[in-house]
Amino acid sequence: MSLTPASQERTVIAHGFSPDEIAQLEGVLHHDDHQPLIFATTRDHHLKLALQDLVRLVHRETDAAQLAASTSSGQPARIPGRENQRVLYLHGFDKKELFGLVDLVKKNVANPKGIAFATSTTNNLSMPLARLVWEVWRDHDYMESRRQAQREGRPLPPPPEDEPGDFVPGS
């Protein structure tokens, strides 16, 4: 499968993955070296950055050694109170590429249902990474409970609502 560039900022940012999972994702994402793609992982100091700033940071650090040092050293970033927080944030891909990339990842990782995917939107580019992870997983959990209710013939749960106090950055 070829992923034709939609922009020069084709970026995949992984949050909450183990080092082994990161290595597996790198292999999957870099299967076609002819397609420019930046892959980075999050660290604690990224959690308060707005997504647009995180993407800029990743693209400014074009030297491979500098990028590896800023994203691959230390433990992965964690948001307290959430067991699974594996999110792949996809930036700079067109719709066809997004579907292809999600399918590629799901077919080539051990636990595809344990990954939530997020794409760039007008609303989330100014959102801190920690809030994106929290909101993506809130919505992912809701969709899973909805699918389970449908399978069991139960009434569907109400969708999650944004409450002003729902998210406390850094908590």
Side-chain angles (χ1 to χ4, degrees):
M1 180 184 98
S2 176
L3 299 174
T4 307
S7 79
Q8 294 304 312
E9 290 190 352
R10 295 163 39 92
T11 310
V12 177
I13 298 175
H15 172 80
F17 291 84
S18 71
D20 289 342
E21 291 170 321
I22 292 297
Q24 184 182 24
L25 284 170
E26 283 181 308
V28 169
L29 295 173
H30 293 298
H31 73 284
D32 184 353
D33 290 333
H34 295 68
Q35 304 301 326
L37 169 72
I38 303 248
F39 176 72
T41 59
T42 61
R43 296 291 167 240
D44 285 334
H45 64 278
H46 296 140
L47 291 174
K48 293 183 181 179
L49 286 178
L51 290 169
Q52 61 194 0
D53 296 334
L54 181 54
V55 169
R56 278 191 210 115
L57 173 71
V58 167
H59 284 272
R60 265 198 320 264
E61 296 175 348
T62 55
D63 178 300
Q66 185 179 10
L67 180 60
S70 72
T71 62
S72 297
S73 59
Q75 292 297 316
R78 299 291 300 163
I79 297 169
R82 171 97 217 162
E83 183 61 33
N84 179 11
Q85 12 187 308
R86 296 181 313 152
V87 172
L88 280 181
Y89 174 68
L90 311 171
H91 175 77
F93 298 89
D94 66 30
K95 192 173 186 176
K96 182 178 177 184
E97 291 174 317
L98 286 172
F99 288 122
L101 189 57
V102 168
D103 285 345
L104 179 69
V105 169
K106 285 183 173 185
K107 289 177 182 174
N108 290 285
V109 297
N111 180 11
K113 288 190 176 201
I115 300 173
F117 294 86
T119 62
S120 302
T121 67
T122 305
N123 292 334
N124 72 15
L125 281 171
S126 61
M127 186 181 293
L129 174 65
R131 180 166 185 116
L132 173 79
V133 170
W134 182 84
E135 287 192 12
V136 165
W137 272 103
R138 179 196 62 186
D139 293 345
H140 189 275
D141 289 344
Y142 165 71
M143 292 306 293
E144 284 300 314
S145 65
R146 181 181 164 91
R147 281 190 277 276
Q148 185 69 28
Q150 285 176 319
R151 281 191 296 267
E152 296 172 0
R154 293 184 286 115
L156 299 180
E161 295 184 20
D162 285 328
E163 301 281 333
D166 273 357
F167 175 77
V168 179
S171 65

